[in-house]
Amino acid sequence: MNTIKDTETLAAVCARLSTVGYVTVDTEFMRDSTFWSKLCLIQLAGPDDDFIIDPLAPGLDLAPFYELMRNKQVVKVFHAARQDIEIFWHEAETIPDPLFDTQVAAMVCGFGDSVGYETLVKRLTGGSVDKSSRFTDWARRPLSDKQLQYASGDVTHLRKIYEVLARRLTQTGRARWVAEEMAILQDPETYTTRPEDAWKRLKVRFKGSKGLAVLVEVAAWRERQAQDRDLPRSRVLKDDALAEIATQIPRSLEELDRLRAVPKGLSNNRSAAALMEAIERGLNMPEDQIPVVKDAEPLPPGIGPLVELLKVLLAMRCEEHEVAQKLIAKVSDLEHIAAHDEADVPALKGWRREVFGADALRLKRGELAIGAKGKRIILIEPGKSAK
């Protein structure tokens, strides 16, 4: 097992790997006490060798690694890539290209919803993964041989998994399906965190617009504090404290201190003045800038049976195509399709429309029917024999 701790060795390895067809990649990180993930380890493998990169090694420059991630001649293979890419984007504004996510590919190939890495290792390689080092302190040095062996397995098994899934996608003509999903993972917007949108993650309901405006501003204040100080949001201020501030709207530090959910002594904190300014900005927000939060639109009366039929159709189509249902549509998507012919849902776009969406609309228009033939559920087209 090769552990890389200096830039010269890393540059030589990345130069060699720039000539292969693909590399497998994984990371280990910590995020218990920070806002941004702390990159602690990078696992990297080509078809014939594998390496451990220690980002915490003194003086190590990861520039050669990120250059490899941007090399369009080499496919970068991950399993459940989103968190890894989020780190790369924050650290170096780099998104691997081209990208292949084996979790997405496995869902397309019929391995179920959000299939785990251990399951793929067992089913596609016949191997196994030692889980005992999963929950470990990856920032502590030195790392044990057991930890390094565990980390290495995350990319060595991934080679076989990638090769098998890539062949299946080629054989079934579904490589384009995965490519559509990779476009989402490669969009910088996927990893952009805007303070002004932070309020959307909070489960707080308001009848008055002023309370919502205050929530927008204090949530943005917390988000900036968390990012600037690299602290978890809850370490700055908990969600229930934001909700109470937006409900009670304190106008002074004394009133702020009297709130039950606000930590005692917050008024003495150096950031308290900025929090009070955020409250004032919320109170002074023009009406036309206050977000409009609409209640969920009720389903039209009597639509329930159609939604149930769409569920059956979804199950049929996913079984027929051996693709995970979760990847095609959620129940809420089916409800939108049942209620609106031009529903803005993924199931009516791209490859999902080919697999399910087009037939969903046909079923809704009465151009398809669902019946039974023996133990099988079948589709019936008027004037044609049953499918």
Side-chain angles (χ1 to χ4, degrees):
M1 188 183 309
N2 304 294
T3 302
I4 300 172
K5 297 183 178 182
D6 66 273
T7 306
E8 184 179 358
T9 303
L10 177 61
V13 166
C14 290
R16 186 162 81 248
L17 291 177
S18 69
T19 64
V20 302
Y22 72 86
V23 293
T24 56
V25 191
D26 190 36
T27 69
E28 306 298 341
F29 56 88
M30 301 293 290
R31 200 174 187 173
D32 297 338
S33 59
T34 60
F35 182 90
W36 307 106
S37 297
K38 181 179 181 180
L39 183 60
C40 299
L41 215 61
I42 301 173
Q43 301 95 286
L44 181 65
D48 301 313
D49 48 11
D50 59 279
F51 306 90
I52 297 288
I53 304 170
D54 185 359
L56 303 183
L60 177 65
D61 186 350
L62 290 176
F65 170 76
Y66 288 123
E67 183 179 349
L68 178 63
M69 292 298 98
R70 294 188 291 266
N71 187 330
K72 294 184 180 296
Q73 304 306 312
V74 182
V75 177
K76 272 65 72 173
V77 181
F78 294 76
H79 182 83
R82 181 163 181 157
Q83 284 187 307
D84 303 309
I85 298 175
E86 182 180 39
I87 295 172
F88 298 162
W89 179 249
H90 173 66
E91 294 279 341
E93 292 192 348
T94 293
I95 294 179
D97 184 31
L99 174 69
F100 188 98
D101 189 320
T102 56
Q103 185 178 71
V104 174
M107 293 170 72
V108 167
C109 291
F111 284 86
D113 295 341
S114 302
V115 60
Y117 181 66
E118 294 86 356
T119 299
L120 289 181
V121 169
K122 183 176 181 180
R123 294 178 63 177
L124 296 184
T125 75
S128 62
V129 176
D130 180 4
K131 303 178 182 179
S132 60
S133 295
R134 174 178 294 177
F135 301 108
T136 189
D137 185 354
W138 293 105
R140 185 184 295 273
R141 295 293 185 271
L143 295 172
S144 68
D145 288 343
K146 186 176 182 180
Q147 286 175 305
L148 293 173
Q149 191 66 45
Y150 167 85
S152 179
D154 283 344
V155 289
T156 54
H157 292 303
L158 198 55
R159 294 181 292 209
K160 177 70 172 179
I161 292 171
Y162 165 67
E163 291 171 358
V164 172
L165 292 176
R167 282 197 300 269
R168 290 194 185 187
L169 291 172
T170 299
Q171 292 165 358
T172 58
R174 296 181 182 182
R176 174 174 56 85
W177 298 7
V178 174
E180 287 186 26
E181 303 309 301
M182 294 306 97
I184 298 172
L185 282 174
Q186 291 181 291
D187 185 351
E189 283 296 311
T190 303
Y191 311 100
T192 300
T193 303
R194 293 186 174 85
E196 60 268 23
D197 293 330
W199 68 275
K200 296 178 181 178
R201 73 176 72 248
L202 302 172
K203 297 179 180 179
V204 182
R205 298 176 66 87
F206 285 98
K207 293 182 179 179
S209 60
K210 284 301 179 185
L212 178 57
V214 170
L215 181 67
V216 169
E217 290 295 341
V218 297
W221 166 83
R222 183 182 71 168
E223 193 76 6
R224 294 187 186 97
Q225 287 281 314
Q227 292 184 17
D228 293 345
R229 296 163 61 187
D230 197 16
L231 290 173
R233 296 179 182 92
S234 61
R235 290 271 295 274
V236 176
L237 209 58
K238 295 185 182 298
D239 289 356
D240 57 351
L242 295 185
E244 188 176 13
I245 290 172
T247 301
Q248 300 299 325
I249 312 183
R251 304 299 300 275
S252 68
L253 292 176
E254 292 74 17
E255 290 180 9
L256 180 68
D257 263 348
R258 286 199 291 268
L259 298 183
R260 184 176 61 178
V262 172
K264 300 305 177 186
L266 178 64
S267 61
N268 297 322
N269 191 294
R270 61 184 180 181
S271 61
L275 172 57
M276 296 307 299
E277 291 172 3
I279 294 172
E280 287 301 316
R281 284 197 301 273
L283 289 172
N284 295 322
M285 185 180 294
E287 285 291 335
D288 60 355
Q289 293 182 20
I290 299 175
V292 177
V293 180
K294 297 181 179 179
D295 293 330
E297 186 176 331
L299 295 177
I303 207 171
L306 177 55
V307 174
E308 294 303 315
L309 283 178
L310 290 172
K311 290 180 183 178
V312 174
L313 178 64
L314 177 63
M316 290 177 63
R317 281 297 184 229
C318 289
E319 182 175 343
E320 176 186 343
H321 290 277
E322 296 184 332
V323 60
Q325 292 187 37
K326 180 180 178 180
L327 195 58
I328 301 292
K330 301 177 293 186
V331 173
S332 59
D333 295 334
L334 301 182
E335 292 173 346
H336 282 299
I337 292 172
H340 307 286
D341 288 346
E342 298 181 1
D344 184 17
V345 295
L348 296 184
K349 301 173 184 177
W351 67 271
R352 291 175 175 83
R353 187 182 183 98
E354 299 172 21
V355 173
F356 167 74
D359 278 345
L361 295 178
R362 294 181 66 203
L363 178 68
K364 182 179 175 181
R365 293 193 297 263
E367 298 170 5
L368 278 180
I370 294 177
K373 188 174 183 180
K375 297 181 180 180
R376 292 191 308 118
I377 300 296
I378 59 174
L379 292 180
I380 303 170
E381 297 186 55
K384 297 184 179 180
S385 57
K387 291 185 178 181

